[in-house]
Amino acid sequence: GAVVSQHPSRVICKSGTSVKIECRSLDFQATTMFWYRQFPKKSLMLMATSNEGSKATYEQGVEKDKFLINHASLTLSTLTVTSAHPEDSSFYICSAKRATLPGETQYFGPGTRLLVL
Amino acid sequence: GESVGLHLPTLSVQEGDNSIINCAYSNSASDYFIWYKQESGKGPQFIIDIRSNMDKRQGQRVTVLLNKTVKHLSLQIAATQPGDSAVYFCAENSAGGTSYGKLTFGQGTILTVHP
């Protein structure tokens, strides 16, 4: 159990366009999902915390109008990179926490590699 | 802000040897720690976790040790295999305040296992 998927796995887009990334918990319900960004050979940096049915909480320095997050159900959160620019190119990873089991373990998706030309 | 860091950025071992990956943390309020393994181009994979009320926890071929006195965490991998080659991250979960429930990741250690 505890499988998290992301779609797409890779995306290439032109500068100025918007890109939507989906994060799904496949076999459990997740009241909380997290979005991370990772640059090559670097650690994961938390961008925002997504709670089902409420507004996302963004980390300091992350533009909420740039990175739109929607957590519409207990199994789906989406991250939309609006008006993408080359500096937005990165590896975006989501994670999810189980709704019913105790503990704080986060299960991660396989990541989405975004390249903005 | 407080952070989690790793002592050794790279570690090379021979197949069959035991590996020890270290991590120092600075947030004394953290109550839960996790080790993740990340292979190239993939998301982090949960390995093992430990709560702050424990000193040691064992899994299959892996052991996590927690020393709260010196704020040190380690991951021991027994009989390391080539498939263990990856980047290993420690992460801490904050116990309270505005950071509750968030994970803070260390910088990562690259483990390379030579056959």
Side-chain angles (χ1 to χ4, degrees):
Chain A
V3 178
V4 178
S5 70
Q6 281 184 239
H7 178 79
S9 58
R10 304 172 66 99
V11 57
I12 301 174
C13 69
K14 294 182 179 179
S15 184
T17 61
S18 294
V19 175
K20 178 184 284 187
I21 302 170
E22 293 185 348
C23 176
R24 293 182 185 272
S25 56
L26 299 184
D27 53 359
F28 66 99
Q29 292 185 324
T31 54
T32 305
M33 290 183 172
F34 301 86
W35 287 96
Y36 296 83
R37 183 173 182 177
Q38 186 179 32
F39 291 105
K41 300 188 185 299
K42 297 294 183 181
S43 188
L44 284 75
M45 291 176 51
L46 180 64
M47 298 175 64
T49 302
S50 170
N51 293 295
E52 187 266 338
S54 63
K55 291 184 178 180
T57 303
Y58 291 82
E59 294 300 300
Q60 189 173 7
V62 178
E63 301 176 56
K64 60 181 181 181
D65 295 330
K66 172 76 173 177
F67 300 98
L68 300 179
I69 291 173
N70 185 301
H71 194 157
S73 76
L74 286 173
T75 60
L76 174 64
S77 176
T78 61
L79 168 68
T80 301
V81 183
T82 62
S83 186
H85 292 285
E87 58 266 28
D88 298 323
S89 299
S90 189
F91 193 49
Y92 292 88
I93 310 172
C94 72
S95 71
K97 288 172 58 176
R98 292 176 186 260
T100 57
L101 294 180
E104 292 79 27
T105 303
Q106 292 183 25
Y107 296 93
F108 285 82
T112 296
R113 188 162 302 281
L114 170 64
L115 177 62
V116 184
L117 302 177
Chain B
E2 300 192 356
S3 63
V4 176
L6 293 173
H7 292 302
L8 301 175
T10 61
L11 177 63
S12 293
V13 300
Q14 290 295 127
E15 181 178 3
D17 288 350
N18 296 332
S19 302
I20 300 176
I21 301 172
N22 297 300
C23 177
Y25 67 94
S26 56
N27 187 350
S28 57
S30 294
D31 62 350
Y32 178 61
F33 304 87
I34 311 109
W35 281 100
Y36 288 97
K37 172 187 179 183
Q38 187 178 28
E39 296 176 305
S40 181
K42 298 182 179 180
Q45 176 186 355
F46 173 86
I47 300 175
I48 193 168
D49 58 1
I50 189 168
R51 297 198 175 278
S52 59
N53 61 352
M54 301 173 67
D55 298 322
K56 179 180 180 180
R57 190 165 188 223
Q58 288 184 297
Q60 187 176 13
R61 284 203 304 121
V62 295
T63 300
V64 56
L65 299 177
L66 175 63
N67 186 330
K68 295 180 287 296
T69 302
V70 295
K71 297 179 186 172
H72 184 267
L73 192 69
S74 68
L75 175 70
Q76 300 178 1
I77 305 174
T80 316
Q81 303 167 2
D84 294 328
S85 295
V87 180
Y88 288 81
F89 292 99
C90 64
E92 62 176 326
N93 183 89
S94 299
T98 58
S99 298
Y100 181 73
K102 299 180 184 178
L103 289 181
T104 301
F105 280 80
Q107 66 183 62
T109 292
I110 301 172
L111 175 65
T112 303
V113 182
H114 300 284

